[in-house]
Amino acid sequence: MSAAFSRQLGAQPGIQLNPVLDNTDGFAPDTSDQVFGTVMRSTRGRIDKPFYVDSGTVSAKLGAGESMRVTPLNEAYVHVVEALNNGATQAAIQRLVPSTAVLQMMIAVTGPVGSGAVLVATIAAGAVTGATITSGGEDYPEDVTIQIGGPGAGAVLRATVTAGVITAVAFVAGGTGYATVPPLTVVGGTTTTYSVSDTEPDGFLFSIKHLECYNDGVSISYHADALSDANGNPIANQTITFRLLDPAGVNIFGDISASLDPNAVDDYNNSLYLPDVAAALTDALEITVGADATVTPDSDAYGRDDNGLDKWSTSPVLDYFSEGGFGYEVSDYTTAVNALQFTELEYGYIASCGSQAVALLSQLSSLAYNVNKCFKLDVSGTLTPAAAIAFVAQLSLVGTKDYYCHVYWSPIKSDDPTGINGKSVFGTSTFNIARACARNAQTDANGFAPKNYPIAGKAWPLNRTGMSQIYTPSTNELSDLATAKINPVLYKKYNGGGLYVFTDSLTSATTTVSFKKLISVAEMSSSIDDNVVMAGNEFIQLPMEICIKKTGDYLKTLFEGAQTAKWIVPSASMNGAAFQYSVTPSAIKPADNMIIQYSLRYDGVARQITVTQTISK
């Protein structure tokens, strides 16, 4: 035998070698707090589930963006692009479409090309001398073949095709043995036609369902290399190279080389069948191959042309997806928000991306509570402070979810960061998320980001061009905005010059004295809770005593790290400690219920400063 041990001994003598035990595994901080999730309208993107975009893929995956004159919903594209260029590493996008959206298959069908030609041969002394054109037919390619029947052999005629019609027949060779006039058949080869439908027709080659749903359509293109039999004669080929192209000719998934034979395998005995190869590459393509599908030598996709270039059959741009307009029902918002809630994709923030749809904002605020993430939203900067307060009031952010919701009002006109629109008033909440993502990338030795520093003030200015403030609130209006927990973005003067900045950092919590009103505390506390829950997922289903021990050790390390990072500070109410915790079995259900409790004293934010000068004699 090849080994002097057994992995599992039975009753026999010997040495059992157990697998290596790995005690080096542990908790590693993720980067989800550098990613935001949103529900938005776009011209490209999956409609069945969320997907990631980054600064390098945003245009390809979401489309080029459209003017806000088409629909105000297009402001979301501006938000996403700006955020990805200012600190956010990725965005988890759930595309918003109405229930009337329609996604169809793209179908390729092969068949003979050209029809209707009628040629009559002329003979003399047993040889073919030419042909008379009774009908020139239509839709023939330039390289048609004239097949000459028997009796007799060796005759060759060549057709001239003009605009798809046979206009002349040239004599090449007369052959011998033609005692009677032989029949002439015009063979125009095989071409591929393309259509969009819900069902495949008989004899189709393959069908494609593209789940990334391009409003501007895509093209299908495929090619098969030439094959020969033992005698050098061309034979059909079931192996093709497939491409899906956007309207600009960009190859979306790269070349996919695979077989139309469901039993085909590669050198490693892995399936080489086109649907299987495509599925291994991406889940955005669903491909079905027709029965006995093959590419014949007379196909427009077979071999090479007269110039030695590969012949590709390429469809026109196919309009296979209809967005269905901009008329959204509450159920459409619910579908999109639920998809973002139950996705496997990770994200640390939720962005409204400028939406002013009350039904969507309300559902996103509930999502924030359900997934324990901060939700940042805009109230239009075109509104007066009073109108902004009234708008936020109808969102019903009070209650358990208010702590997670952070509202921004930015009466600032600027150039469009994407260049699609002219000067306009754009929301700034997603930019705030982007700067938070950039901050969160700067972790200490224990993996803690400086989340105790809110994205507000001089350190985090807007960097747009052509900015001008269109409304300057009074002192009373600023007080009213703060009371309503709305954070203004305004021009502020500093030593060295003025900047447009986030002037406040309040959550929507209705309290006036609690730490829950501070965005920094909301971010830190939700991060702590997420870490504790993830630890619970690691330790659950362990014996109770072991689970208590491991959880206690983890909490001690976590809270000490938070104190080192200055997230939490000593508290007089906890006898000078920054944290307290307990991990115990439940008194009511001690067999299977473990109780974790912890108290933390977060550091606050100096958002109000009172200055008094006394002149003494």
Side-chain angles (χ1 to χ4, degrees), residues 46 49 60 99 196 244 297-298 338 359 362 375 378 495 536 586 588 590:
R46 300 190 68 138
K49 66 179 184 178
S99 57
V196 174
L244 197 70
D298 59 353
N338 284 345
S362 181
F375 170 42
D378 294 293
N495 291 330
S586 168
I588 300 174

Side-chain angles (χ1 to χ4, degrees), residues 143 222-228 234-235 237 241 295-313:
D143 56 348
Y222 76 97
H223 162 77
D225 289 336
L227 291 181
S228 300
I235 58 175
N237 192 355
T241 300
V295 183
T296 56
D298 59 353
S299 169
D300 57 345
Y302 184 94
R304 294 175 176 162
D305 61 21
D306 294 340
N307 296 317
L309 301 176
D310 287 341
K311 293 165 67 176
W312 289 83
S313 176

Side-chain angles (χ1 to χ4, degrees), residues 288-609:
T288 302
V289 175
D292 302 320
T294 189
V295 183
T296 56
D298 59 353
S299 169
D300 57 345
Y302 184 94
R304 294 175 176 162
D305 61 21
D306 294 340
N307 296 317
L309 301 176
D310 287 341
K311 293 165 67 176
W312 289 83
S313 176
T314 302
S315 75
V317 175
L318 301 171
D319 294 326
Y320 66 100
F321 175 70
S322 173
E323 184 179 2
F326 311 131
Y328 304 102
E329 303 290 339
V330 172
S331 58
D332 299 326
Y333 298 136
T334 302
T335 298
V337 171
N338 284 345
L340 196 58
Q341 176 172 345
F342 298 108
T343 180
E344 296 178 357
L345 304 185
E346 298 288 343
Y347 53 90
Y349 298 92
I350 301 170
S352 72
C353 285
S355 174
Q356 300 298 298
V358 172
L360 176 58
L361 296 176
S362 181
Q363 292 201 39
L364 287 174
S365 67
S366 296
L367 172 66
Y369 172 76
N370 291 336
V371 298
N372 195 46
K373 307 298 181 187
C374 293
F375 170 42
K376 297 182 184 288
L377 63 148
D378 294 293
V379 55
S380 176
T382 62
L383 299 179
T384 65
I389 293 169
F391 179 85
V392 173
Q394 67 181 323
L395 299 179
S396 300
L397 301 180
V398 297
T400 54
K401 61 187 180 182
D402 57 7
Y403 176 55
Y404 296 95
C405 300
H406 314 151
V407 184
Y408 298 88
W409 173 70
S410 309
I412 299 169
K413 181 175 284 188
S414 70
D415 297 329
D416 180 354
T418 67
I420 297 172
N421 303 279
K423 280 185 178 292
S424 188
V425 177
F426 304 98
T428 56
S429 63
T430 317
F431 181 88
N432 188 279
I433 289 176
R435 304 314 288 152
C437 291
R439 176 202 63 192
N440 296 345
Q442 305 170 39
T443 58
D444 64 13
N446 296 315
F448 284 81
K451 295 183 180 180
N452 49 329
Y453 288 81
I455 304 301
K458 184 179 180 180
W460 306 100
L462 283 179
N463 59 7
R464 295 172 182 165
T465 59
M467 289 186 286
S468 61
Q469 189 166 309
I470 63 173
Y471 189 98
T472 300
S474 66
T475 300
N476 287 340
E477 288 175 325
L478 289 173
S479 178
D480 292 341
L481 288 168
T483 300
K485 303 302 188 293
I486 298 174
N487 300 293
V489 183
L490 302 169
Y491 182 79
K492 287 290 182 181
K493 293 182 179 179
Y494 298 98
N495 291 330
L499 298 169
Y500 290 89
V501 299
F502 298 91
T503 63
D504 212 343
S505 55
L506 294 172
T507 72
S508 292
T510 54
T511 179
T512 58
V513 294
S514 168
F515 279 73
K516 287 181 65 176
K517 70 180 181 180
L518 299 175
I519 288 177
S520 58
V521 175
E523 292 201 23
M524 290 185 290
S525 65
S526 62
S527 296
I528 290 289
D529 287 343
D530 281 347
N531 278 276
V532 174
V533 169
M534 293 303 294
N537 286 334
E538 293 279 344
F539 303 144
I540 200 169
Q541 295 295 337
L542 291 176
M544 181 67 73
E545 184 177 354
I546 295 174
C547 188
I548 290 174
K549 174 66 166 60
K550 285 182 172 289
T551 302
D553 291 344
Y554 176 78
L555 293 180
K556 183 175 185 294
T557 300
L558 176 67
F559 297 150
E560 287 176 346
Q563 186 169 4
T564 300
K566 302 299 183 183
W567 285 23
I568 54 178
V569 294
S571 169
S573 64
M574 293 189 292
N575 298 318
F579 60 89
Q580 291 178 344
Y581 65 92
S582 65
V583 186
T584 59
S586 168
I588 300 174
K589 297 192 297 181
D592 63 356
N593 186 13
M594 186 182 77
I595 306 297
I596 302 174
Q597 294 180 312
Y598 47 93
S599 299
L600 307 177
R601 168 55 161 89
Y602 290 100
D603 194 13
V605 174
R607 57 176 296 274
Q608 290 186 332
I609 298 174

